[in-house]
Amino acid sequence: MSALLVVGEVVTDVVARHRSPLAPATDTAARIRTLPGGAGANAACWAARSGCADVRLLARVGTDQASWHEERLRSAAVRPLLVADGDAPTATVVALVDAAAERTLVTDSGAALRLSPADWSPRLLDGVRHLHLSGYLFFAATSRETVSLAMAAARERGIPVSVDPASAGFIAELGVDRFLAAVRGADVLLPNADEATLLTGLPGAADAAVKLSRHFPLVPVTLGADGALVAAAGEVVARVPAPSVRAVDSTGAGDAFTGAFLAARLSGGDPAAAARAGCEAGARAVTRVGGRPPGE
């Protein structure tokens, strides 16, 4: 058992980098690229790039772009388990990236959140050592039911489960209590600072991580340019700085952290070493446009 199974989403990213503020009701000059993305898919690609030899991704895509996304995943050494949806297009995200490399996302979930219980089988866990769930799938009833089945099946087999909360905005829309109830039982929760503070109601990331670690065994919290911290059993057990780099696009930095963190843990790294690997991957991610590793 050595495989990492990611249940997440595949997205077509339209990344628009604009150097001047957006001008309402007229044009704003930008450099625009269309790239493969999606938090789950990105994390899977970074896990493969970080040394995990068997990475699999279950996701739902529209028939419009299924073959393109499958080819891009295979080129990243990820085994695509894609369900083609003839009734909804592939999810699309428009990422507006400003001069400070901060991004604002406009999201059309398309087929991604239509991942259904019929798409899941416990056999997908054969040979799997770790299950990772993208938090976006918890924000719609159909996909939430699917990831709940996946989590239950993993726990029956004794397979650890991690969850990336994915979006403070969507958590607020769903409701903190509903989200926490849905992810109860996860072994690793990987929020960023905004998500951690929202989930706990505490103003500081460290305090929020400590509180969350009383409910989830391991809680790495990403802090952007300040690196990451890791909490376990009600205390902060590691603080890791981020490498100093020139950021051009923060899209996918958290996904890079997640993928590298999980790969390091699967290879036997302790939480601090895994967080260092995650921060290094996140730093590499922000130096390039898009959320995938270099060369993908």
Side-chain angles (χ1 to χ4, degrees):
M1 290 176 60
S2 60
L4 168 66
L5 174 62
V6 178
V7 181
E9 73 285 21
V10 166
V11 173
T12 300
D13 283 344
V14 180
V15 182
R17 298 168 61 206
H18 56 97
R19 293 292 156 256
S20 58
L22 294 174
T26 188
D27 295 327
T28 301
R31 297 184 65 182
I32 300 174
R33 293 182 63 188
T34 300
L35 300 165
N42 292 344
C45 291
W46 280 99
R49 172 57 65 93
S50 301
C52 191
D54 185 353
V55 183
R56 311 168 188 178
L57 173 70
L58 174 65
R60 195 172 184 95
V61 297
T63 54
D64 56 333
Q65 295 179 324
S67 59
W68 180 63
H69 280 292
E70 181 169 316
E71 187 276 329
R72 298 314 304 153
L73 289 165
R74 289 191 187 280
S75 73
V78 173
R79 187 191 308 182
L81 307 172
L82 302 185
V83 180
D85 190 322
D87 296 321
T90 301
T92 301
V93 169
V94 177
L96 304 174
V97 183
D98 64 19
E102 189 53 68
R103 81 277 191 273
T104 299
L105 306 179
V106 183
T107 303
D108 179 347
S109 298
L113 301 188
R114 289 163 56 89
L115 190 73
S116 74
D119 301 328
W120 171 256
S121 168
R123 292 191 300 275
L124 292 170
L125 293 171
D126 291 350
V128 168
R129 186 176 168 193
H130 187 96
L131 171 67
H132 177 67
L133 305 175
S134 172
Y136 282 109
L137 299 183
F138 288 91
F139 301 133
T142 298
S143 53
R144 185 164 57 247
E145 182 181 358
T146 306
V147 290
S148 295
L149 290 173
M151 183 183 292
R155 292 184 64 80
E156 285 179 5
R157 296 194 185 197
I159 297 171
V161 179
S162 56
V163 176
D164 167 15
S167 169
F170 285 165
I171 291 170
E173 185 176 336
L174 177 68
V176 166
D177 291 343
R178 288 185 69 193
F179 180 80
L180 289 173
V183 301
R184 184 179 296 122
D187 301 278
V188 185
L189 190 71
L190 295 123
N192 63 26
D194 288 344
E195 293 154 2
T197 56
L198 174 63
L199 289 170
T200 60
L202 298 176
D207 289 340
V210 165
K211 182 174 180 179
L212 287 169
S213 73
R214 297 190 178 105
H215 303 280
F216 303 93
L218 191 63
V219 182
V221 178
T222 54
L223 308 173
D226 292 326
L229 59 85
V230 183
E235 63 177 326
V236 174
V237 297
R239 293 179 183 269
V240 178
S244 180
V245 297
R246 179 180 176 275
V248 298
D249 179 10
S250 59
T251 302
D255 307 333
F257 179 94
T258 294
F261 181 93
L262 294 177
R265 290 289 288 162
L266 284 169
S267 67
D270 63 25
R276 282 193 295 274
C279 285
E280 290 167 2
R284 290 196 298 274
V286 301
T287 62
R288 62 190 312 275
V289 177
R292 297 282 175 91
E296 307 306 336

